[in-house]
Amino acid sequence: MVQMRTVSVKGGLLLGRAVCYHALVITKNEAVTKMAELTQKSRSGFAAIVGRPNVGKSTLLNRILGEKIAITSQRPQTTRNKILGIKTQGLDQLVLLDTPGIHRQRAHLNRLMVQEALKTLQGVDCILLVTEVARGGSNEKQAVEPMPLVLHPADSYVLEQIQIQDAKAPVIVVINKIDRIKDRQLLLPLMAAWHDKGFSTIVPLSALKGDGIEDLLQEIMSLMPEGPHLYPEDMFTDQTERFLASELIREQVFEHCRQEIPYATAVEILEFRERPDRSAITIEAIIHMEKDSQKAILIGKGGATIKQLGMAARQEIGKVLGCTVHLQLTVHVEKDWSRFPVQRRKFGYE
Ligand code: GDP
Ligand code: MG
């Protein structure tokens, strides 16, 4: 794991476990017994979060951690890389892997993203297969009726892919977005449909509101092997602040631009300088587009779109990194970058 710096919300670097000295004197034997007890009782392991695009996988990761480390949007295929999040609860530690959505794909970049998700299934202790309550009406507030009695075809595809991978880890089915329905009874047919597919652990929840998260955590931890912490207890992601900043800029492209623009976007951080007292961070970034026409749309009339996008990104990065941010954005055309391995590698997608 290459780790330039771990992320802290309130600022300051979190590079290691805090060492705590105390006056309590215990004998060596007592210490050995105590350590054995501690190690025996603690559980730790990996859980992969997979599912079709847009069901709320990244929102779920952020909710479980209580920190924003993965970007989200109303549009599918927002997540492009595997994102690692660490949840430490006392002696237990859960390492979560958020992944790009699994779906049928032709384009190079999308195929790579799906492969990245499927690779994650190997070597984890538990798989969270995330799906959602279908939306009945045209907006979030409308209740969802009638409920689908069968699985969404895109879920069946995800299931097929998981089976092809022959992943050995137990699967928990997560039915997300239950805040969309008023009557929880409506969930029963959908839960029964998953049950008929051979899944016995099905957890309905709302990643957005937080309902059901504790139930899910209990289910996951019951599947984790016994073992000590895998990461320092104050670390909650392996991402660098630099990468996180680039993602938060990309998130704002999803917020401010429609159609293909977000999918043609790669963000490169040129400069990431912080004041010694970390009161402010200066970031210089390039937003790469694939075509001149996309560059024009991203900049907007008289630079209006890029200006708004930049302001929103600056605020969001400041919130997540816990300090003032000075952000300088430039838009550049890297012609058809997603089609070429060298360019994809340059932007961290190979
Ligand atoms: P991903 O592609 O699976 O990672 O999905 P995201 O986490 O990016 O979320 C996709 C969209 O669903 C975003 O607009 C989220 O705000 C929304 N969303 C996620 N969880 C919930 C939820 O529990 N309830 C509702 N109503 N929306 C949610
Ligand atoms: Mg995502």
Side-chain angles (χ1 to χ4, degrees):
M1 180 183 66
V2 179
Q3 188 188 317
M4 287 160 63
R5 176 186 293 163
T6 56
V7 173
S8 137
V9 161
K10 304 277 170 339
L13 302 186
L14 303 176
L15 287 173
R17 198 192 293 252
V19 182
C20 171
Y21 297 98
H22 51 78
L24 193 66
V25 179
I26 49 176
T27 66
K28 193 174 164 199
N29 276 350
E30 277 172 342
V32 170
T33 318
K34 199 111 205 121
M35 281 308 290
E37 258 177 40
L38 288 176
T39 325
Q40 240 175 31
K41 281 185 192 148
S42 67
R43 286 174 181 273
S44 60
F46 291 83
I49 308 177
V50 296
R52 61 183 149 100
N54 217 33
V55 289
K57 298 179 293 298
S58 300
T59 309
L60 178 63
L61 174 72
N62 292 339
R63 169 63 67 181
I64 293 176
L65 296 185
E67 308 283 357
K68 178 165 175 176
I69 64 160
I71 62 166
T72 66
S73 94
Q74 291 177 11
R75 314 269 305 274
Q77 289 141 256
T78 313
T79 308
R80 284 187 184 155
N81 309 74
K82 182 178 73 189
I83 308 269
L84 183 141
I86 305 149
K87 167 93 179 169
T88 304
Q89 265 183 325
L91 297 175
D92 297 334
Q93 194 172 65
L94 169 63
V95 185
L96 291 149
L97 300 161
D98 182 23
T99 63
I102 297 170
H103 58 306
R104 276 179 219 280
Q105 266 322 311
R106 290 243 173 92
H108 289 288
L109 186 61
N110 291 343
R111 273 215 312 266
L112 279 173
M113 282 154 49
V114 172
Q115 277 166 19
E116 177 94 19
L118 292 172
K119 267 194 308 207
T120 311
L121 296 172
Q122 306 299 339
V124 292
D125 303 292
C126 157
I127 296 168
L128 303 180
L129 173 48
V130 185
T131 183
E132 64 174 13
V133 170
R135 197 199 310 234
S138 55
N139 69 53
E140 284 291 337
K141 292 199 180 76
Q142 279 175 285
V144 182
E145 283 177 272
M147 287 291 295
L149 299 179
V150 290
L151 302 192
H152 193 289
D155 282 335
S156 303
Y157 180 73
V158 172
L159 211 49
E160 237 171 67
Q161 293 302 307
I162 294 178
Q163 277 154 1
I164 291 170
Q165 295 296 311
D166 198 22
K168 301 283 183 288
V171 174
I172 298 176
V173 175
V174 174
I175 302 181
N176 190 25
K177 310 196 185 181
I178 58 165
D179 53 285
R180 283 176 169 176
I181 49 167
K182 287 203 187 88
D183 182 2
R184 297 277 160 97
Q185 294 285 322
L186 288 170
L187 282 171
L188 295 177
L190 186 58
M191 291 174 77
W194 281 101
H195 194 264
D196 290 348
K197 285 279 178 191
F199 297 102
S200 52
T201 313
I202 304 163
V203 182
L205 55 80
S206 168
L208 200 65
K209 311 276 179 200
D211 298 343
I213 297 292
E214 278 308 315
D215 296 339
L216 176 65
L217 271 173
Q218 270 181 23
E219 291 292 348
I220 303 171
M221 288 321 293
S222 72
L223 296 172
M224 292 295 121
E226 286 184 359
H229 288 175
L230 301 162
Y231 291 90
E233 61 203 37
D234 52 6
M235 182 171 165
F236 57 84
T237 183
D238 67 341
Q239 293 179 80
T240 61
E241 292 186 328
R242 208 181 161 102
F243 174 74
L244 195 49
S246 75
E247 285 289 272
L248 292 166
I249 296 167
R250 207 163 60 77
E251 183 175 54
Q252 289 309 319
V253 180
F254 271 94
E255 280 295 310
H256 287 82
C257 303
R258 285 174 221 283
Q259 289 161 356
E260 90 278 17
I261 306 293
Y263 304 106
T265 298
V267 177
E268 187 184 6
I269 304 287
L270 291 184
E271 271 291 330
F272 190 100
R273 281 191 311 272
E274 63 182 280
R275 292 221 186 113
D277 63 354
R278 209 187 146 88
S279 58
I281 295 181
T282 302
I283 300 168
E284 284 171 37
I286 303 183
I287 305 182
H288 295 277
M289 304 306 303
E290 299 207 295
K291 296 184 173 61
D292 290 323
S293 56
Q294 296 162 344
K295 176 178 170 179
I297 296 172
L298 185 66
I299 291 173
K301 261 205 188 104
T305 309
I306 190 71
K307 192 173 168 200
Q308 279 181 3
L309 185 159
M311 264 160 39
R314 179 171 58 77
Q315 276 177 7
E316 198 58 27
I317 298 169
K319 227 167 39 186
V320 172
L321 301 189
C323 63
T324 306
V325 169
H326 303 293
L327 178 64
Q328 192 188 317
L329 291 178
T330 316
V331 186
H332 178 259
V333 176
E334 183 90 21
K335 203 160 173 16
D336 296 327
W337 66 262
S338 72
R339 286 177 43 206
F340 302 105
V342 175
Q343 259 94 330
R344 288 200 299 263
R345 253 196 301 279
K346 177 175 163 192
F347 300 138
Y349 300 124
E350 283 265 356

